[in-house]
Amino acid sequence: MESGTVTTPFGRRSMTLGMLSSQVASREIEPDKTVDKWKLYRALCEARPLLGVTDRALAVLNALLSFYPKNALAEEHGLVVFPSNAQLSLRAHGMAEQTIRRHLAVLIEAGLLIRKDSPNGKRYAHKGRSGEIDEAFGFSLAPLLARSEEIERLAAEVIAERMHLQRLRERLTLCRRDITKLIEAALEEGAAGDWMTVSAHLRGLLERLPRVPTAVQLAATLDEMELLREEVVNQLEMQLNTQNQSGNPDQNERHIQNSNPESISELEPAFDEKQGERAVGNNNPNTEPSDERRLKALTPSGGVTGEVADLPAGHRLKSFPLRLVLQACPQILHYGPGGTIANWRDLMSAAVVVRSMLGVSPSAYEEACAGMGPENAATVIACIFERGGHIHSAGGYLRDLTRRAEKGEFAIGPMLMALVRANAGVQQNVG
């Protein structure tokens, strides 16, 4: 704009001190200063959250820039564009003229444009005899040229903040994966510890995050999760060190699952002992293994007759805590006696009912009980039922899992933990 002049809006539009400030700042443009208009526009798009303009307002600004004849904004080329509302609407992809006027007001309020109105409010230009524009009335792009360094700095801040958020999210994802995998390994291999409490703590940390967390919130949650991961690793390392010091060289080469196959009983509910059964992991040679006793005493009505003694040596699956099974498979709760499941007997009774609903034949379920043990067969049925329509042939799927279990190629732990995570995600979305 011309040095030493002040322009006021036409008609009923009022003048504000903000408009005056923009005009004063535009007079201080350095001589010969130029800036690529499209590079500056990209910086504007990045800095939009800090400038307080909408994406629709930037679309109108993009249309205005398209009327500027040069790629480089410079005072020597003039900084005023004067398209009609009809022309501006076409360049703005058919945006309504009333909407265009509203977004132009936003751009002026943000100090990105100056309205240079003619005496009658129309937009036009006076040309000299040589055909060059002497004076134009419309919208001045001078604020963009004057604030180009500020706009680029704001854009750099937004980009840096976005990269910081992305790095925090990546670290959070990796930390969550580490903790989840370590808990799965601990449950699968029977490591001692209250792993359900650790899992619940992890879920609590994640559920506390809002849908769109800030960098501060992500960083605070990440700090707590990294501490939790360190605690889990330390606990597992202590168990490994204890095992290595107390075991012989052959035992040191085995997994925790092989050296102490029943240690997961520390997480078993107390009702097992109340029923007069010894806790899993009791090494009393005069007492029958709990799986064998349960098969004899709690044989489901579906006609299961297999015994644990029939399972191939080294391929016996481990029974997981009942509360973990019910947390992973809550849908089976409705099919227990009285609409609830309080113990393994209830779960096995519910599995017989659900087995019929899934179309699993009695022989397939009998083979599963013989190959996996009755508790694990009921657990697998609960998992299949929880997955619902994802499995087309429940009977064939169960037979395949039974064959894999007999070969030592199937483990229930990852299946349960996957369902626990899936159900936790559903509950979080519903909440």
Side-chain angles (χ1 to χ4, degrees):
M1 60 185 295
E2 297 177 2
S3 176
T5 63
V6 172
T7 179
T8 57
F10 169 77
R12 297 181 179 179
R13 301 189 188 100
S14 59
M15 181 70 177
T16 66
L17 293 180
M19 293 180 184
L20 180 60
S21 175
S22 296
Q23 294 182 32
V24 171
S26 298
R27 296 177 193 167
E28 300 175 358
I29 299 175
E30 299 176 2
D32 302 326
K33 180 179 181 179
T34 63
V35 62
D36 186 287
K37 65 179 181 180
W38 297 123
K39 181 180 178 181
L40 183 61
Y41 179 74
R42 287 192 293 272
L44 276 168
C45 292
E46 292 286 359
R48 180 177 65 83
L50 300 181
L51 291 171
V53 294
T54 63
D55 52 350
R56 299 292 298 280
L58 287 179
V60 174
L61 181 59
N62 179 78
L64 281 175
L65 287 173
S66 69
F67 286 100
Y68 191 77
K70 305 289 185 179
N71 281 331
L73 291 176
E75 280 193 303
E76 62 177 340
H77 302 144
L79 292 171
V80 177
V81 291
F82 42 91
S84 66
N85 284 339
Q87 291 174 323
L88 197 54
S89 176
L90 289 175
R91 295 283 179 95
H93 307 289
M95 188 181 295
E97 292 185 14
Q98 183 178 1
T99 304
I100 287 177
R101 285 194 291 270
R102 185 170 68 251
H103 291 308
L104 285 171
V106 171
L107 292 170
I108 293 170
E109 182 68 21
L112 299 177
L113 288 180
I114 293 176
R115 188 187 296 274
K116 187 178 180 182
D117 286 343
S118 66
N120 62 2
K122 301 294 184 181
R123 300 173 202 150
Y124 56 85
H126 293 300
K127 294 184 178 180
R129 292 185 178 181
S130 61
E132 295 183 355
I133 296 176
D134 290 336
E135 187 174 14
F137 298 97
F139 297 102
S140 173
L141 304 175
L144 295 179
L145 185 59
R147 299 178 62 185
S148 59
E149 291 87 358
E150 176 195 356
I151 292 170
E152 290 174 354
R153 176 179 56 80
L154 293 176
E157 290 179 6
V158 172
I159 294 173
E161 179 68 12
R162 186 170 64 244
M163 294 297 294
H164 180 51
L165 275 173
Q166 182 180 344
R167 296 292 184 270
L168 286 174
R169 290 180 183 276
E170 289 176 352
R171 290 174 58 193
L172 193 71
T173 299
L174 291 173
C175 191
R176 179 179 60 185
R177 185 182 70 189
D178 292 344
I179 297 173
T180 301
K181 295 286 187 180
L182 288 170
I183 293 174
E184 289 178 359
L187 287 170
E188 181 63 25
E189 302 195 10
D194 192 357
W195 302 113
M196 295 308 300
T197 300
V198 177
S199 180
H201 186 190
L202 175 62
R203 283 200 311 276
L205 291 176
L206 295 174
E207 290 171 358
R208 194 174 63 191
L209 282 174
R211 186 176 295 274
V212 184
T214 63
V216 174
Q217 292 169 327
L218 283 173
T221 301
L222 180 60
D223 288 342
E224 294 187 54
M225 287 181 61
E226 287 178 338
L227 286 175
L228 181 61
R229 178 176 59 184
E230 185 176 352
E231 291 176 4
V232 171
V233 172
N234 288 341
Q235 186 171 352
L236 292 176
E237 285 182 349
M238 289 173 59
Q239 295 189 47
L240 289 174
N241 291 337
T242 302
Q243 179 188 4
N244 290 337
Q245 291 173 5
S246 61
N248 57 46
D250 292 336
Q251 290 174 330
N252 292 339
E253 296 178 1
R254 300 173 186 165
H255 293 291
I256 296 176
Q257 181 179 358
N258 294 332
S259 62
N260 189 10
E262 306 296 344
S263 62
I264 200 167
S265 63
E266 297 181 12
L267 297 178
E268 288 284 347
F271 62 78
D272 283 340
E273 295 186 10
K274 290 180 181 179
Q275 293 175 352
E277 300 176 4
R278 68 176 180 86
V280 179
N282 187 345
N283 294 321
N284 185 352
N286 297 321
T287 308
E288 289 182 289
S290 59
D291 283 347
E292 185 174 349
R293 215 170 45 256
R294 285 172 181 162
L295 263 175
K296 294 177 179 178
L298 306 179
T299 299
S301 57
V304 179
T305 59
E307 297 184 355
V308 172
D310 296 329
L311 297 179
H315 297 328
R316 299 180 185 177
L317 289 180
K318 185 184 309 301
S319 296
F320 284 85
L322 180 63
R323 59 183 178 185
L324 172 60
V325 176
L326 297 181
Q327 182 182 353
C329 310
Q331 295 186 36
I332 202 170
L333 282 166
H334 305 291
Y335 299 90
T340 186
I341 293 176
N343 50 47
W344 282 105
R345 185 193 300 273
D346 292 346
L347 178 64
M348 294 163 70
S349 298
V352 173
V353 177
V354 171
R355 184 268 302 166
S356 300
M357 296 172 57
L358 293 172
V360 176
S361 65
S363 62
Y365 188 48
E366 180 178 349
E367 291 175 6
C369 287
M372 303 180 187
E375 292 94 341
N376 289 320
T379 299
V380 172
I381 285 291
C383 292
I384 294 175
F385 185 61
E386 189 70 24
R387 295 184 64 182
H390 296 288
I391 299 173
H392 298 293
S393 175
Y397 184 58
L398 180 62
R399 289 184 187 276
D400 179 64
L401 293 182
T402 301
R403 286 192 295 269
R404 289 167 56 192
E406 291 173 348
K407 297 177 181 179
E409 299 174 352
F410 168 63
I412 299 177
M415 177 187 293
L416 286 175
M417 293 308 297
L419 289 173
V420 168
R421 290 195 301 271
N423 288 332
V426 170
Q427 292 172 2
Q428 185 173 0
N429 291 335
V430 172

